Short mmCIF file of all heavy atoms in Angstrom, two decimals:
data_model
loop_
_atom_site.label_atom_id
_atom_site.label_comp_id
_atom_site.label_asym_id
_atom_site.label_seq_id
_atom_site.Cartn_x
_atom_site.Cartn_y
_atom_site.Cartn_z
N PHE E 244 94.23 95.47 110.75
CA PHE E 244 93.82 95.84 109.46
C PHE E 244 94.86 95.63 108.45
O PHE E 244 94.61 95.16 107.30
CB PHE E 244 93.38 97.35 109.58
CG PHE E 244 92.07 97.49 110.09
CD1 PHE E 244 91.39 96.66 110.95
CD2 PHE E 244 91.38 98.76 109.89
CE1 PHE E 244 90.20 96.93 111.50
CE2 PHE E 244 90.16 99.03 110.47
CZ PHE E 244 89.56 98.15 111.31
N LEU E 245 96.08 95.95 108.70
CA LEU E 245 97.25 95.86 107.78
C LEU E 245 97.44 94.29 107.53
O LEU E 245 97.83 93.93 106.39
CB LEU E 245 98.48 96.52 108.30
CG LEU E 245 98.41 98.04 108.33
CD1 LEU E 245 99.59 98.59 108.96
CD2 LEU E 245 98.02 98.69 106.97
N ALA E 246 97.39 93.53 108.55
CA ALA E 246 97.48 92.04 108.26
C ALA E 246 96.36 91.50 107.43
O ALA E 246 96.50 90.62 106.59
CB ALA E 246 97.53 91.31 109.62
N ALA E 247 95.22 92.11 107.63
CA ALA E 247 94.00 91.73 106.80
C ALA E 247 94.25 92.04 105.37
O ALA E 247 93.85 91.39 104.40
CB ALA E 247 92.77 92.32 107.32
N VAL E 248 94.90 93.22 105.12
CA VAL E 248 95.22 93.74 103.83
C VAL E 248 96.10 92.72 103.09
O VAL E 248 95.93 92.39 101.91
CB VAL E 248 95.95 95.05 103.84
CG1 VAL E 248 96.57 95.43 102.48
CG2 VAL E 248 94.85 96.16 104.25
N ALA E 249 97.05 92.15 103.75
CA ALA E 249 97.89 91.08 103.13
C ALA E 249 97.11 89.96 102.67
O ALA E 249 97.35 89.39 101.61
CB ALA E 249 99.03 90.66 104.12
N ILE E 250 96.14 89.51 103.50
CA ILE E 250 95.36 88.38 103.05
C ILE E 250 94.40 88.74 101.91
O ILE E 250 94.24 87.93 100.96
CB ILE E 250 94.50 87.88 104.29
CG1 ILE E 250 95.42 87.40 105.46
CG2 ILE E 250 93.56 86.72 103.85
CD1 ILE E 250 94.72 87.16 106.73
N LEU E 251 93.87 89.92 101.97
CA LEU E 251 92.97 90.39 100.96
C LEU E 251 93.78 90.47 99.57
O LEU E 251 93.24 90.19 98.49
CB LEU E 251 92.35 91.71 101.22
CG LEU E 251 91.27 91.75 102.32
CD1 LEU E 251 91.02 93.12 102.94
CD2 LEU E 251 89.95 91.13 101.79
N ARG E 252 94.89 90.93 99.64
CA ARG E 252 95.79 91.16 98.41
C ARG E 252 96.15 89.77 97.88
O ARG E 252 96.32 89.57 96.63
CB ARG E 252 96.99 91.94 98.67
CG ARG E 252 96.68 93.40 99.01
CD ARG E 252 96.73 94.27 97.82
NE ARG E 252 98.05 94.34 97.23
CZ ARG E 252 98.27 94.86 96.03
NH1 ARG E 252 97.25 95.34 95.27
NH2 ARG E 252 99.51 94.91 95.54
N ALA E 253 96.39 88.80 98.71
CA ALA E 253 96.67 87.43 98.30
C ALA E 253 95.46 86.82 97.48
O ALA E 253 95.65 86.22 96.49
CB ALA E 253 96.99 86.60 99.48
N GLU E 254 94.29 87.13 97.98
CA GLU E 254 93.06 86.70 97.27
C GLU E 254 92.66 87.48 96.09
O GLU E 254 92.22 86.99 95.04
CB GLU E 254 91.96 86.69 98.26
CG GLU E 254 92.05 85.63 99.43
CD GLU E 254 91.80 84.19 98.92
OE1 GLU E 254 91.08 84.00 97.89
OE2 GLU E 254 92.47 83.28 99.48
N ARG E 255 92.79 88.84 96.21
CA ARG E 255 92.45 89.77 95.16
C ARG E 255 93.67 90.72 94.93
O ARG E 255 93.64 91.80 95.50
CB ARG E 255 91.20 90.49 95.52
CG ARG E 255 89.93 89.72 95.75
CD ARG E 255 89.21 89.38 94.49
NE ARG E 255 88.79 90.61 93.84
CZ ARG E 255 87.55 91.18 94.07
NH1 ARG E 255 86.72 90.61 94.95
NH2 ARG E 255 87.22 92.27 93.43
N PRO E 256 94.62 90.38 94.10
CA PRO E 256 95.82 91.21 93.92
C PRO E 256 95.51 92.64 93.44
O PRO E 256 96.33 93.51 93.70
CB PRO E 256 96.67 90.42 92.96
CG PRO E 256 96.22 89.01 93.09
CD PRO E 256 94.75 89.08 93.41
#
Side-chain angles (χ1 to χ4, degrees):
F244 282 18
L245 294 176
V248 165
I250 299 170
L251 287 164
R252 292 269 295 170
E254 292 288 330
R255 299 276 298 269

